């Protein structure tokens, strides 16, 4: 008989998340967890990958994996095509949720808040730092639009490669960064027997307030 999914069961035993050791500032704790994930996650897991959920104008949710490219007191930064599906969803409903899963650490972090476009200068700087092939890809790919065939994409890539031959492509206007301004950050640490630790930080009038939630 094939193994049933219902029988898959792992007991989480690696770490705990104690109230007395938790940080007052969730960004400090996030930084510690991300550093640890970068050191311990085994490739091909990318420690900065996360699921980003957005909601369209009809109230339908959409979720996809993206890479976090930075975070600070200003917010959490990611990049993509402004006219992609996610770009359209964020234009009509500028709010998102991101979820990180670090299986090697038995940890999850959920971050929610309003999203704004990153400053043009920051998007320019990040675009300029990307490998040339990725820069050309941003010009060539009308992200989330239908393609008749893969050859259409390859032909578009040939066109932009010719157009920018011998020069560094500038950032296309349709491509750039977003900044999620966190209003809520929840840390989940797997514990034995499903009695997990959950610390929920919410921003109230500029101050983070922390609550322990039942698993
Ligand atoms: C590991 C991984 C990393 C990705 N990183 C990004 C990213 O940083 N930016 C991006 O626009 N898409 C990224 N993608 C592709 C997205 O998942 C998605 O296909 C794309 O953004 C189009 O989504 P949309 O049609 O909902 O806009 C990544 C996919 C994977 C699997």
């Amino acid at each position: 008989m094939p193994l049933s999914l219902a029988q898959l069961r792992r007991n989480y035993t690696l770490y705990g998340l104690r109230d007395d050791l938790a940080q007052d500032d969730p960004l400090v704790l996030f930084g510690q967890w991300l550093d640890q994930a970068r050191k311990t996650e085994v490739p091909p897991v990318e420690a900065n990958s996360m699921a980003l959920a957005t909601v369209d104008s009809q109230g339908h949710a959409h979720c996809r994996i993206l890479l976090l490219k930075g975070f600070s007191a200003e917010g959490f930064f990611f990049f993509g095509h402004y006219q992609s599906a996610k770009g359209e969803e964020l234009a009509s409903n500028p709010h998102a949720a991101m979820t990180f899963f670090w299986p090697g650490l038995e940890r999850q972090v959920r971050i929610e808040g309003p999203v704004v476009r990153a400053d043009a200068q920051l998007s320019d700087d990040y675009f300029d730092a990307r490998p040339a092939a990725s820069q050309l890809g941003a010009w060539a790919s009308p992200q989330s639009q239908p393609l008749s065939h893969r050859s259409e994409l390859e032909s578009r890539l040939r066109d932009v490669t010719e157009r920018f031959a011998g020069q560094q492509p500038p950032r296309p206007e349709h491509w750039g960064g977003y900044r999620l301004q966190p209003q809520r950050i929840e840390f989940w640490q797997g514990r034995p027997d499903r009695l997990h630790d959950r610390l929920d930080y919410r921003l109230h009038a500029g101050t983070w307030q922390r609550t322990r939630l039942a698993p």
Side-chain angles (χ1 to χ4, degrees):
M1 189 182 93
L3 181 67
S4 153
L5 288 182
Q7 289 172 297
L8 290 179
R9 184 161 291 270
R10 180 170 148 193
N11 207 24
Y12 304 116
T13 56
L14 288 179
Y15 301 100
L17 184 50
R18 282 169 43 185
D19 290 288
D20 56 334
L21 296 182
Q23 304 286 338
D24 287 338
D25 184 346
L27 294 178
V28 174
L29 185 54
F30 181 81
Q32 291 172 346
W33 278 28
L34 182 61
D35 275 352
Q36 226 176 331
R38 288 176 65 180
K39 288 182 190 131
T40 56
E41 285 298 353
V42 177
V45 172
E46 290 177 276
N48 60 330
S49 64
M50 45 89 178
L52 182 87
T54 50
V55 174
D56 67 23
S57 54
Q58 294 172 46
H60 298 163
H62 305 272
C63 191
R64 79 289 283 162
I65 302 296
L66 257 66
L67 297 178
L68 182 77
K69 288 295 175 176
F71 75 98
S72 67
E74 307 281 295
F76 291 76
F77 293 86
F78 54 93
F79 291 81
H81 198 300
Y82 287 142
Q83 272 116 45
S84 64
K86 79 182 106 31
E88 299 293 341
E89 288 145 24
L90 287 170
S92 64
N93 185 357
H95 210 272
M98 48 177 67
T99 299
F100 294 81
F101 175 42
W102 294 308
L105 297 168
E106 302 173 342
R107 285 177 180 167
Q108 167 184 257
V109 176
R110 297 166 55 181
I111 304 172
E112 298 168 6
V115 177
V116 294
R117 284 192 186 187
D119 290 345
Q121 184 62 53
L122 185 135
S123 292
D124 289 344
D125 291 347
Y126 175 63
F127 186 83
D128 291 347
R130 298 181 92 206
S134 305
Q135 294 174 336
L136 291 169
W139 276 98
S141 170
Q143 194 178 50
S144 314
Q145 298 303 314
L147 291 171
S148 56
H149 196 269
R150 185 172 172 89
S151 61
E152 185 185 337
L153 185 61
E154 289 162 354
S155 154
R156 293 174 68 103
L157 182 63
R158 275 194 299 277
D159 290 348
V160 295
T161 304
E162 211 169 285
R163 177 172 162 195
F164 294 113
Q167 53 170 302
Q168 166 149 353
R171 175 175 66 89
E173 266 185 28
H174 63 245
W175 191 97
Y178 288 99
R179 178 164 60 92
L180 185 154
Q181 301 160 297
Q183 298 284 317
R184 177 182 174 212
I185 306 183
E186 188 213 303
F187 297 82
W188 182 99
Q189 175 68 65
R191 298 292 306 272
D193 304 324
R194 300 296 186 257
L195 298 180
H196 314 302
D197 287 328
R198 296 178 65 190
L199 291 186
D200 186 38
Y201 292 78
R202 286 176 195 249
L203 197 58
H204 290 288
T207 305
W208 288 103
Q209 290 179 7
R210 192 176 81 213
T211 311
R212 179 169 286 269
L213 300 178

